Amino acid sequence: DALKLIPLYQLLKRTGINTLLCATHQHQKLLDEVLDLFQVKPDITLDIMRENQTLDYLTAAVLQKTSDYFSAVRPRLVIVQGDTTTSFAAALAAFYLKIPVAHVEAGLRTGNMYSPFPEEINRIFIGKISSLHFAPTPINVCNLLNEGMRADKIFCVGNTVVDALQQILS
C-alpha cells in the first residue's frame, strides 16, 4: 500500500498541501525498502507489529493509535489505500472523529464477503464510511454506484501502482 500511496503523497506535498504520512510498521522491512526507494520518511510511525498478531489485535491497535493521532493532529481529510485491516481501522477512527475519509482503490468487489478474507469486507466497510471514492476502473465505479454511493463523490483515476511504476522507471 505504501508503494501505491507514495506518488500521491509526493504530489500533494509538491503542490503545497500540508500532508502527513502515517505508517503502521506492520511489515517494517518491506516498508523500509519502499520508503528508501522513494526517499520518503513517515511523519508518524505507529509501531504496532507483534509476533503472531491476530486480526482483532491489529484492528484494535490501529483504531486506538490512529484515533489518538487524528485527535491530536485534527486532519481535514484522511486518505486510506486499498482493503487492508489497517486501512479499515484507520478509516473507522477518522469516521468516529467525523473526519472525512478518501478511499484510494475504491470499488473493488468480488461479491463474496469471505473472498478474499478479510479484504472484501474491509472494502465494503471502507466504502460505506468514505466521503470520496477514487476508483481504478469504470467497473469499480459501477460497483460503487450500485451500492448507492453518490456519483459526484466517485472519481475514476486509474491505479496508483502504475503511477509508482512509471516514477520508478523514470
Side-chain angles (χ1 to χ4, degrees):
D1 289 338
L3 181 64
K4 294 177 182 179
L5 268 188
I6 286 176
L8 175 60
Y9 167 77
Q10 290 176 321
L11 175 66
L12 293 171
K13 292 290 262 191
R14 278 195 309 274
T15 60
I17 296 172
N18 185 15
T19 306
L20 301 172
L21 183 63
C22 178
T24 60
H25 265 195
Q26 283 173 257
H27 308 288
Q28 187 167 348
K29 187 178 183 325
L30 292 172
L31 177 61
D32 288 345
E33 290 174 8
V34 172
L35 294 173
D36 290 345
L37 178 65
F38 287 94
Q39 299 177 339
V40 171
K41 292 186 187 238
D43 298 290
I44 179 91
T45 301
L46 302 180
D47 289 321
I48 60 158
M49 183 65 175
R50 75 177 193 193
E51 277 192 53
N52 302 316
Q53 65 187 14
T54 60
L55 287 173
D56 56 336
Y57 161 77
L58 180 61
T59 304
V62 173
L63 179 63
Q64 185 62 62
K65 289 197 174 199
T66 55
S67 181
D68 292 345
Y69 181 62
F70 298 157
S71 293
V73 175
R74 293 307 300 179
R76 293 185 5 204
L77 178 72
V78 169
I79 301 171
V80 299
Q81 154 66 42
D83 54 16
T84 64
T85 298
T86 299
S87 294
F88 163 63
L92 186 61
F95 174 77
Y96 284 164
L97 294 167
K98 298 184 179 174
I99 300 167
V101 174
H103 185 202
V104 175
E105 205 174 63
L108 279 70
R109 299 291 187 270
T110 66
N112 177 348
M113 70 179 171
Y114 293 104
S115 178
F117 178 83
E119 289 83 355
E120 181 71 4
I121 201 68
N122 290 339
R123 295 169 181 164
I124 294 166
F125 290 157
I126 295 168
K128 294 296 182 192
I129 59 180
S130 292
S131 301
L132 300 170
H133 310 270
F134 296 97
T137 70
I139 291 171
N140 305 136
V141 170
C142 288
N143 290 339
L144 294 165
L145 291 170
N146 289 338
E147 292 175 7
M149 306 306 169
R150 290 179 35 185
D152 64 333
K153 301 295 183 184
I154 303 170
F155 305 89
C156 189
V157 297
N159 194 326
T160 55
V161 79
V162 174
D163 301 331
L165 179 59
Q166 289 174 341
Q167 186 174 340
I168 292 167
L169 291 174
S170 68

